[in-house]
């Protein structure tokens, strides 16, 4: 089935087709059933058959309809070679004016109008070809037809010389073929370029995927470099601290060396001022050799002691680094939890807990290593915070009890209003009975109309007041119920959240305090052992020197 290339369902195409069809029908004298352009917006099946019969009569005035219109329509369309005859089915004819059927039928009627016009005026066939987008397909036949027409006219005029017309036809065809060859060459070059581009894009990796992968790699490298920079900065700070310590030790050693030089000069001066004999020289030489040997032995021991101290210092430094890392991690976890719980930030709950926990490396005492005094400030602050939360919970519970009492009062008021409403309804009923009695009495004895109207107004007023009181009571009760439910839910949620947060804070603080205390005790014991070993080595040096 060939697909119609025309935009038959677009509004502009339908409006233009309706104008063209209506214009032709009016010019051709079609006047069945009071025809107007408005009829073509959604015509009935009868109107469509009348229009189609009228148009086909312009093409074949002698045609006689012998079968049903639905059956003969397909035969007629195929007979006049309508390209899209298969697209029109019996369902289209069953609902001609529907939005999904009428555009197709309208396009067919417009095509018939163009065919009729082309039959009336052969030169207008170019418009029909352009309407379907294949105006170049019949150009050679048209040129040949014009050539035959002109030569035949020349022949009828009694002239047999057709060379000028032959030359003109050949030149026209050559010109059109030349353009066709140029266009074909351009199309082949464009096709070759597009094929190369297609092969390039199909064989190579898509640029978006490659760039995305490269971007992921660069972002990963960036994060790694940031982590490495942070690590190196931490190491630099530690090395700077060690350099300061070594500089202080170097200054102390230089002072000790200067003092020893002064002592040596003093001793040398004392020795030079003394009078010694050859026996004293021999004795001093022997003592010097003995001292030299003793000094070598002490030097070996000192080297061994220094090596042992150095190994101990390295192990201690590693343990200290691990301890610092653990402490920094615990401090970071504490600060993060404090921010989450609202202990830190712009609005703090406790002033003693508003400072971030920080580790002081150069503190002289263990109790000064943390920026927050845990036992003396943090623990009492947490106790106050717990008491505050308890007071808040008690207050919320009191509010909930007050709301419950208000709800009970509203229920009681509602019951009272309901009883009043029942009494009002009974009163209305009694008044109604009185009204009917009065009405009967008034009819019997000619009571005045004003009294009856007064009774009616009183009854209506009582009904309105009773209804308004019931509505107001129901609204107040509903509002109180909603407030009570919301407050109950908020109190329960706040109570659970506060208890969980407080328990988590206490557990984290206790774990942190225990861990810090344990690490400091281990560090203190190791330092004490190293100091004892260093003291024993120093005592051995002094004993050997003596």
């Amino acid at each position: 089935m060939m697909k119609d290339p025309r935009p038959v369902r677009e509004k502009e195409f339908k409006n233009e087709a309706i104008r063209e069809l209506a214009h032709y029908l009016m010019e051709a004298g079609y006047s069945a059933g009071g025809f107007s352009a408005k009829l073509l917006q959604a015509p009935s099946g009868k109107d469509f058959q009348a229009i189609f019969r009228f148009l086909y009569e312009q093409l074949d005035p002698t045609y006689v309809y012998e079968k049903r219109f639905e059956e003969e329509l397909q035969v007629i369309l195929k007979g006049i070679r309508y390209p899209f005859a298969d697209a029109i089915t019996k369902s289209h004819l069953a609902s001609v004016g529907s939005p999904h059927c009428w555009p197709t039928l309208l396009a067919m009627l417009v095509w018939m109008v163009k065919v009729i016009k082309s039959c009336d005026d052969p030169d207008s066939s170019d418009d029909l070809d352009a309407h379907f987008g294949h105006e170049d397909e019949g150009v050679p036949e048209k040129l040949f037809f014009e050539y035959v027409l002109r030569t035949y006219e020349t022949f009828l005029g009694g002239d047999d010389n057709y060379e000028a017309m032959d030359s003109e036809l050949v030149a026209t065809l050559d010109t059109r073929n030349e353009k066709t060859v140029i266009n074909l060459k351009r199309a082949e070059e464009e096709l070759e370029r597009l094929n190369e581009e297609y092969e390039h894009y199909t064989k190579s990796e898509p640029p978006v995927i490659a760039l995305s992968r490269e971007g992921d790699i660069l972002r990963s490298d960036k994060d790694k470099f940031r982590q490495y920079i942070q690590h190196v900065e931490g190491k630099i700070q530690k090395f700077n601290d060690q350099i300061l310590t070594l500089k202080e030790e170097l200054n102390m050693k230089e002072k000790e060396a200067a003092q020893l030089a002064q002592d040596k000069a003093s001793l040398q001066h004392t020795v030079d001022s003394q009078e010694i004999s050859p026996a004293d020289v021999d004795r001093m030489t022997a003592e010097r050799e003995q001292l030299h040997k003793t000094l070598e032995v002490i030097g070996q021991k000192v080297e061994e002691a220094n090596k042992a101290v150095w190994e101990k210092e390295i192990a201690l430094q590693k343990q200290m680094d691990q301890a610092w890392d653990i402490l920094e991690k615990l401090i970071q976890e504490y600060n993060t939890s404090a921010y989450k719980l609202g202990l830190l930030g712009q609005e703090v709950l406790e002033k003693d807990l508003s400072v971030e926990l920080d580790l002081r490396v150069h503190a002289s005492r263990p109790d000064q290593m943390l920026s927050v005094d845990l036992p003396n400030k943090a623990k009492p602050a947490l106790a106050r915070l717990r008491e505050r939360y308890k007071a808040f919970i008690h207050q919320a519970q009191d509010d909930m009890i007050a709301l419950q009492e208000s709800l009970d009062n509203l229920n009681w008021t509602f019951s009272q209003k309901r009883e009043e409403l029942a009494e009002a309804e009974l009163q209305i009923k009694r008044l109604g009975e009185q009204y009917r009695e009065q009405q009967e009495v008034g009819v019997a004895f000619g009571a005045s109309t004003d009294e009856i109207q007064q009774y009616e107004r009183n009854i209506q007023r009582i009904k309105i007041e009773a209804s308004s009181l019931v509505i107001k009571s129901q609204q107040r009760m509903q509002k109180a119920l909603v407030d009570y439910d919301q407050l109950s839910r908020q109190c329960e949620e706040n109570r659970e959240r506060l208890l969980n947060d407080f328990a988590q804070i206490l557990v984290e603080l206790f774990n942190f305090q225990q861990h810090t205390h344990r690490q400091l005790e281990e560090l203190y014991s190791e330092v004490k052992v190293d100091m004892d070993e260093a003291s024993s080595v120093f005592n051995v040096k002094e004993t050997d020197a003596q």
Side-chain angles (χ1 to χ4, degrees):
M1 181 186 296
M2 179 182 284
K3 185 178 180 181
D4 195 343
R6 297 170 295 177
V8 297
R9 299 192 180 277
E10 292 185 2
K11 186 176 181 180
E12 295 179 356
F13 178 83
K14 290 191 291 185
N15 293 335
E16 182 64 26
I18 290 173
R19 283 196 297 269
E20 185 176 355
L21 180 58
H23 180 71
Y24 175 77
L25 292 174
M26 289 179 181
E27 285 185 351
Y30 176 78
S31 60
F35 173 75
S36 64
K38 187 176 181 181
L39 180 66
L40 297 177
Q41 295 292 336
S44 62
K46 183 177 180 181
D47 295 331
F48 170 73
Q49 292 184 19
I51 294 171
F52 180 83
R53 291 175 186 270
F54 177 79
L55 294 177
Y56 188 65
E57 186 178 353
Q58 308 303 315
L59 295 173
D60 188 1
T62 62
Y63 184 80
V64 178
Y65 294 88
E66 298 178 352
K67 300 179 182 179
R68 294 177 59 192
F69 177 77
E70 291 81 358
E71 297 177 357
E72 292 195 2
L73 179 64
Q74 286 290 336
V75 178
I76 294 172
L77 293 178
K78 292 181 180 179
I80 61 177
R81 297 184 183 278
Y82 179 57
F84 316 110
D86 295 335
I88 299 175
T89 61
K90 292 183 179 180
S91 61
H92 287 77
L93 301 178
S95 55
V96 175
S98 61
H100 66 280
C101 296
W102 174 236
T104 305
L105 299 175
L106 178 62
M108 181 267 292
L109 295 176
V110 173
W111 181 85
M112 292 181 66
V113 171
K114 293 183 180 293
V115 171
I116 294 169
K117 290 181 179 179
S118 65
C119 292
D120 295 340
D121 185 8
D123 294 334
S124 64
S125 60
D126 293 343
D127 298 334
L128 186 62
D129 293 335
H131 185 71
F132 288 99
H134 50 75
E135 61 275 10
D136 293 337
E137 295 179 0
V139 170
E141 290 79 2
K142 183 179 178 182
L143 294 175
F144 184 72
F145 177 76
E146 292 177 354
Y147 166 75
V148 172
L149 185 61
R150 291 175 61 188
T151 54
Y152 190 68
E153 290 176 352
T154 304
F155 173 74
L156 293 177
D159 189 2
D160 294 336
N161 186 7
Y162 313 125
E163 293 181 357
M165 289 172 280
D166 293 342
S167 302
E168 183 179 355
L169 178 61
V170 172
T172 302
L173 293 175
D174 290 341
T175 302
R176 292 188 61 81
N177 291 334
E178 183 180 355
K179 294 180 179 179
T180 303
V181 171
I182 293 173
N183 292 332
L184 180 61
K185 186 176 180 180
R186 291 178 180 174
E188 289 177 351
E189 292 176 356
E190 181 68 16
L191 179 61
E192 185 178 357
R193 184 184 65 80
L194 292 175
N195 288 331
E196 292 177 355
E197 186 175 356
Y198 175 74
E199 291 179 359
H200 173 70
Y201 284 122
T202 54
K203 292 181 180 180
S204 61
E205 185 180 14
V208 175
I209 297 176
L211 292 175
S212 177
R213 184 173 62 255
E214 186 177 357
D216 294 337
I217 294 173
L218 292 175
R219 283 190 290 270
S220 177
D221 293 341
K222 182 180 178 182
D223 296 336
K224 291 179 181 178
F225 278 123
R226 284 181 176 176
Q227 295 176 0
Y228 180 71
I229 289 171
Q230 294 176 357
H231 178 71
V232 171
E233 288 178 353
K235 293 294 183 182
I236 289 172
Q237 183 64 34
K238 292 179 182 179
F239 288 146
N240 290 332
D241 296 338
Q242 293 179 359
I243 289 171
L244 292 175
T245 304
L246 293 174
K247 284 182 178 180
E248 293 177 357
E249 293 179 357
L250 180 61
N251 293 330
M252 294 176 61
K253 295 296 182 183
E254 288 179 351
K255 292 179 181 179
E256 291 178 0
Q259 184 66 32
L260 291 174
Q262 292 179 0
D263 295 341
K264 180 180 178 183
S266 176
L267 292 173
Q268 185 67 36
H269 178 70
T270 302
V271 170
D272 293 338
S273 62
Q274 290 179 354
E275 295 181 357
I276 56 175
S277 61
D280 294 332
V281 173
D282 294 335
R283 182 178 55 78
M284 292 174 63
T285 302
E287 291 178 355
R288 185 179 64 182
E289 292 178 353
Q290 183 66 28
L291 291 174
H292 183 69
K293 293 179 180 178
T294 305
L295 184 61
E296 290 179 353
V297 174
I298 292 174
Q300 293 178 356
K301 293 182 179 180
V302 168
E303 289 179 358
E304 294 176 356
N306 289 333
K307 184 177 180 181
V309 171
W310 176 251
E311 292 177 353
K312 291 290 184 179
E313 288 180 353
I314 292 174
L316 182 61
Q317 185 65 33
K318 290 181 179 179
Q319 294 179 359
M320 290 180 66
D321 292 339
Q322 293 177 358
W324 292 129
D325 293 337
I326 293 173
L327 288 175
E328 290 175 355
K329 184 177 180 181
L330 291 174
I331 289 172
Q332 186 177 3
E333 291 178 356
Y334 170 82
N335 292 330
T336 303
S337 301
Y339 273 112
K340 290 181 179 179
L341 298 174
L343 300 179
L344 300 176
Q346 296 181 355
E347 297 181 359
V348 295
L349 300 176
E350 279 291 338
K351 184 178 180 181
D352 293 335
L353 300 175
S354 62
V355 181
E356 290 188 0
L357 190 61
D358 190 14
L359 184 63
R360 298 171 180 174
V361 180
H362 302 289
S364 59
R365 294 184 305 176
D367 57 349
Q368 297 178 352
M369 294 181 67
L370 297 176
S371 59
V372 179
D373 190 356
L374 295 179
N376 297 326
K377 290 185 177 181
K379 189 174 180 180
L382 288 173
R384 290 193 301 270
L385 188 62
R386 180 178 61 184
E387 295 298 329
R388 188 183 305 172
Y389 285 156
K390 286 183 177 179
F392 179 76
I393 292 171
H394 292 323
Q395 182 64 32
Q397 291 176 349
D398 294 338
D399 294 340
M400 185 170 64
I401 293 171
L403 284 175
Q404 182 65 38
E405 293 177 354
S406 300
L407 180 62
D408 295 337
N409 293 331
L410 287 174
N411 289 328
W412 182 81
T413 305
F414 179 72
S415 300
Q416 293 293 112
K417 295 297 180 182
R418 182 179 291 174
E419 293 176 358
E420 293 177 0
L421 178 61
E423 294 178 357
E425 289 178 351
L426 292 175
Q427 186 178 0
I428 290 170
K429 187 175 180 181
R430 288 195 300 272
L431 290 174
E433 294 176 354
Q434 293 177 6
Y435 169 73
R436 285 191 295 272
E437 292 175 357
Q438 292 291 335
Q439 190 175 12
E440 293 176 357
V441 172
V443 172
F445 298 97
S448 64
T449 307
D450 294 335
E451 293 180 356
I452 295 173
Q453 292 178 354
Q454 182 66 30
Y455 278 119
E456 290 179 350
R457 284 195 296 270
N458 292 332
I459 291 171
Q460 188 67 25
R461 180 176 56 80
I462 292 171
K463 286 183 178 179
I464 294 172
E465 290 178 355
S467 299
S468 62
L469 289 173
V470 171
I471 292 172
K472 289 181 180 179
S473 300
Q474 290 178 350
Q475 291 177 352
R476 291 179 61 188
M477 186 181 71
Q478 293 294 332
K479 184 177 179 182
L481 287 173
V482 172
D483 294 339
Y484 175 74
D485 293 338
Q486 291 180 354
L487 186 58
S488 299
R489 185 168 57 257
Q490 290 180 357
C491 291
E492 188 65 24
E493 291 177 356
N494 291 332
R495 181 174 178 275
E496 292 180 359
R497 180 176 60 81
L498 294 175
L499 290 176
N500 293 332
D501 294 344
F502 183 72
Q504 186 178 1
I505 291 173
L506 289 178
V507 171
E508 290 181 356
L509 286 176
F510 180 75
N511 294 333
F512 178 73
Q513 183 180 8
Q514 293 294 327
H515 184 77
T516 304
H517 183 70
R518 187 170 57 255
Q519 292 291 329
L520 291 175
E521 287 181 352
E522 293 178 357
L523 183 62
Y524 179 75
S525 61
E526 292 178 358
V527 171
K528 184 176 181 182
V529 171
D530 293 335
M531 291 296 294
D532 294 338
E533 292 179 355
S535 299
S536 63
V537 171
F538 184 73
N539 293 330
V540 170
K541 290 182 180 179
E542 289 183 351
T543 303
D544 294 338
Q546 292 176 358

